[in-house]
Amino acid sequence: MYDPKGNGKEKEVPAVQFVEVEPPSHLRGIVHRYLELDTDGELPEDYRFHALPDACTYIVFDQRDARITGVSKLRAASEEFNLGRQFHFINIRFLPGVWQDSLEPIAYGMLDQPYRGDLPLIEINRDLAARGFADAPEILTTLVERLLEQGLVAPNLVTEKIFQHLDDIHTVADIAELVEMSPRQLQRTLKRTTGFAPHDFLKVLRLQMALNGNDTWSYADQSHFIHSFRKATGYTPGKYAKKFDV
């Protein structure tokens, strides 16, 4: 099953805490994890967070400013965000393809502007800040259940099938055959539901599987794998493993 590794926390900065909590069982086809990223006091210098491409949609809550919240996605290559010297975020990481609301404003990358959409995210952000991360799963679960009722998120049968058969997928043609779609149908479906073309979606899946330890099975040779990994992350696998904790 697909297990996205979204964090690239620098190993040399132990004062940055990264916590993941699983959602309740009835939401595990929708939500991958609830997340907290927090500093233990003020850091001596700006912190750069390495965000890995994962095809997921996030709802981000900036706990230091209730106005800064919203829906965010990453692109097909990794990005480094300067989070400053003190920060505190709580996020929902949705599985790829489940976000349905095309009218909701989407940010690609780091959120730094007040929320302008219609969801009650600012009120929820204030509630999270008042109650702390221990109560966050309950608050976030209530939000996701509301989004399900409103049809803003929904299970994606195409991506679910892909995740269940990752070991059998080596090419985009394999995906099309698995989900019983023509290449053109697959292109439209994945682009609409994940924001990724099939080739980029497969590239992200391969990178994620590499970070889970299956590093070369889907590549022609070791040099091809190293080249692909460096193109997606900016690092060779060895240098990435030394610098970041995933």
Side-chain angles (χ1 to χ4, degrees), residues 1-2 4 8 33 55 64 70-71 76 84 94 101 108 110 112 119 132 147-148 152 159 161 168 170 181 184 196 245:
M1 188 63 178
Y2 181 55
R33 293 287 191 274
R64 295 175 59 81
V71 182
F94 292 96
D101 185 16
Y108 284 87
M110 186 173 176
D112 57 6
L119 297 174
L147 296 176
L148 274 167
L152 302 182
T159 52
K161 199 167 187 179
D168 302 320
H170 301 275
M181 288 183 173
R184 188 172 182 178
F196 286 74
D245 178 11

Side-chain angles (χ1 to χ4, degrees), residues 168-176 202 206:
D168 302 320
I169 295 173
H170 301 275
T171 66
V172 171
D174 291 339
I175 298 178
L202 181 57
R206 284 175 166 174

Side-chain angles (χ1 to χ4, degrees), residues 119-174:
L119 297 174
L121 300 185
I122 293 178
E123 293 86 344
I124 292 171
N125 202 8
R126 292 194 180 105
D127 193 18
L128 288 167
R131 295 172 60 180
F133 191 64
D135 290 330
E138 178 185 352
I139 298 170
L140 300 178
T141 292
T142 299
L143 170 60
V144 175
E145 289 171 343
R146 178 175 177 177
L147 296 176
L148 274 167
E149 290 174 359
Q150 296 175 339
L152 302 182
V153 297
N156 186 316
L157 299 181
V158 171
T159 52
E160 278 187 9
K161 199 167 187 179
I162 293 170
F163 301 152
Q164 290 167 0
H165 296 85
L166 279 180
D167 289 346
D168 302 320
I169 295 173
H170 301 275
T171 66
V172 171
D174 291 339

Side-chain angles (χ1 to χ4, degrees), residues 226-237:
I226 293 172
H227 173 77
S228 298
F229 190 97
R230 183 165 53 194
K231 186 175 181 182
T233 69
Y235 296 86
T236 64

Side-chain angles (χ1 to χ4, degrees), residues 64-86:
R64 295 175 59 81
D65 186 342
R67 301 170 304 160
I68 308 299
T69 179
V71 182
S72 179
K73 295 184 178 182
L74 299 172
R75 302 189 188 277
S78 65
E79 300 179 63
E80 284 196 358
F81 304 130
N82 186 344
L83 303 186
R85 299 190 180 190
Q86 198 164 8

Side-chain angles (χ1 to χ4, degrees), residues 86-124:
Q86 198 164 8
F87 48 85
H88 186 190
F89 297 98
I90 291 176
N91 300 345
I92 303 173
R93 182 195 288 149
F94 292 96
L95 286 166
V98 305
W99 187 260
Q100 304 294 312
D101 185 16
S102 60
L103 299 179
E104 179 68 18
I106 303 289
Y108 284 87
M110 186 173 176
L111 292 177
D112 57 6
Q113 299 295 319
Y115 179 63
R116 302 296 185 190
D118 296 326
L119 297 174
L121 300 185
I122 293 178
E123 293 86 344
I124 292 171

